[in-house]
Amino acid sequence: MTRAGREFSTSYRAADGSELPLLVFEPAEDTPPRAGLVLFHGGALREGSPDGLAPHCRSLASRGILAVSAGYRLLGRGAASIDDCLADVRRAVEQFGRLAATRGLDAPHLAAGGSSAGAHLAMLAAMTPHSAEFGVATVVALNPAGLNLGSFEPDAQRRLAQEVGIAADRLTEYSLIEFVRPGSPPTQIHHGTRDEVEPIGSVRQFRDAMVRAGNECILLEYAHAEHGFHYPGTGGHFDDLIDATARFLVGRTATA
């Protein structure tokens, strides 16, 4: 393990022109980063902040990863719909790519991801038709949501669409399994078997669909763990998760 290095806060320009935070965590000054990862926090698109994933980024930096935790506009606080959140995620990744380039990292060495709703946004941005411009090669998802929205009952679909500010008939535009195709980015998913937000069965279904399409999709299951299990002090999984994430990122870099 290397030492953690410099930590600082910068910003990027959101789709509406406002400034949003990027928290940057670098390896020790004499340690060139081996890979880079930008993470987006959870909170059902209405809560949360980049500070929530700062412990993850700090620990990844100690393992030689350039790690960034990014904010995005929240519903009711600058974002009218999930479309605004997704637009900000794309812009944050662009800024992350520019920052990473100054540290000697290009797209094959970069990943995006997050927790829960943040993981959903990062996966959407990487898998949807605009993904050719996304600027990262891989995805790391911590208890992601929204993997198979089409499996919800019609009433539940209508409620969820209303909650995220879109028409009911657009909900499947945000269902990740709909975008699985050959060439989807290699993905590592960390998920608890007792997740009450996204059942493990849906995650396994997504993993299987990715593999059938010829994609790399690694699902790491945490027995009896519930949603949000990956934060420090919530079940003893933090260090194992960080180690697995670092190995995945560095392993991808070695073959880039």
Side-chain angles (χ1 to χ4, degrees), residues 143 190-201 204 220-230 234-237:
N143 50 245
H190 301 262
H191 214 83
T193 60
R194 291 186 177 172
D195 193 303
E196 68 280 13
V197 174
E198 188 74 31
I200 189 64
R204 292 167 179 162
L220 301 178
E221 297 186 10
Y222 297 78
H224 312 299
E226 299 178 349
H227 200 69
F229 74 94
H230 57 81
T234 58
H237 299 295

Side-chain angles (χ1 to χ4, degrees), residues 9-97:
S9 178
T10 183
S11 64
Y12 74 97
R13 191 173 297 278
D16 69 345
S18 61
E19 295 291 322
L20 293 173
L22 294 174
L23 307 183
V24 182
F25 300 80
E26 300 189 272
E29 187 173 348
D30 57 350
T31 306
R34 297 185 289 173
L37 172 66
V38 57
L39 292 172
F40 298 91
H41 63 83
L45 306 182
R46 293 183 178 277
E47 300 176 352
S49 76
D51 292 332
L53 293 175
H56 304 67
C57 291
R58 188 173 292 115
S59 293
L60 286 166
S62 74
R63 290 159 173 80
I65 309 297
L66 171 67
V68 173
S69 184
Y72 51 92
R73 285 173 294 160
L74 301 174
L75 298 176
R77 285 185 275 174
S81 74
I82 189 175
D83 295 321
D84 293 334
C85 304
L86 184 58
D88 290 348
V89 164
R90 294 187 187 282
R91 285 176 173 251
V93 170
E94 289 175 4
Q95 181 62 25
F96 168 65

Side-chain angles (χ1 to χ4, degrees), residues 63 190 220 222 236-247:
R63 290 159 173 80
H190 301 262
L220 301 178
Y222 297 78
H237 299 295
F238 181 77
D239 288 339
D240 289 342
L241 182 146
I242 294 298
D243 286 341
T245 300
R247 287 194 300 270

Side-chain angles (χ1 to χ4, degrees), residues 47-235:
E47 300 176 352
S49 76
D51 292 332
L53 293 175
H56 304 67
C57 291
R58 188 173 292 115
S59 293
L60 286 166
S62 74
R63 290 159 173 80
I65 309 297
L66 171 67
V68 173
S69 184
Y72 51 92
R73 285 173 294 160
L74 301 174
L75 298 176
R77 285 185 275 174
S81 74
I82 189 175
D83 295 321
D84 293 334
C85 304
L86 184 58
D88 290 348
V89 164
R90 294 187 187 282
R91 285 176 173 251
V93 170
E94 289 175 4
Q95 181 62 25
F96 168 65
R98 289 190 285 269
L99 173 69
T102 67
R103 273 64 171 177
L105 298 173
D106 55 8
H109 303 94
L110 302 180
S115 171
S116 192
H120 180 224
L121 292 172
M123 294 172 79
L124 274 172
M127 296 178 71
T128 50
H130 298 289
S131 59
E133 307 166 3
F134 192 48
V136 301
T138 57
V139 174
V140 175
L142 315 179
N143 50 245
L147 295 177
N148 188 2
L149 298 173
S151 67
F152 289 25
E153 294 294 330
D155 286 347
Q157 290 191 35
R158 284 190 289 270
R159 285 195 302 272
L160 181 56
Q162 184 177 25
E163 289 173 5
V164 300
I166 59 174
D169 61 359
R170 290 190 59 208
L171 191 65
T172 55
E173 295 178 23
Y174 298 89
S175 183
L176 291 168
I177 202 166
E178 301 295 329
F179 297 101
V180 174
R181 57 180 58 84
S184 292
T187 300
Q188 183 188 66
I189 301 174
H190 301 262
H191 214 83
T193 60
R194 291 186 177 172
D195 193 303
E196 68 280 13
V197 174
E198 188 74 31
I200 189 64
S202 293
V203 187
R204 292 167 179 162
Q205 182 185 34
F206 176 84
R207 184 269 318 274
D208 293 345
M210 286 279 283
V211 172
R212 283 196 301 272
N215 302 308
E216 179 183 1
C217 186
I218 300 168
L219 170 58
L220 301 178
E221 297 186 10
Y222 297 78
H224 312 299
E226 299 178 349
H227 200 69
F229 74 94
H230 57 81
Y231 294 99
T234 58

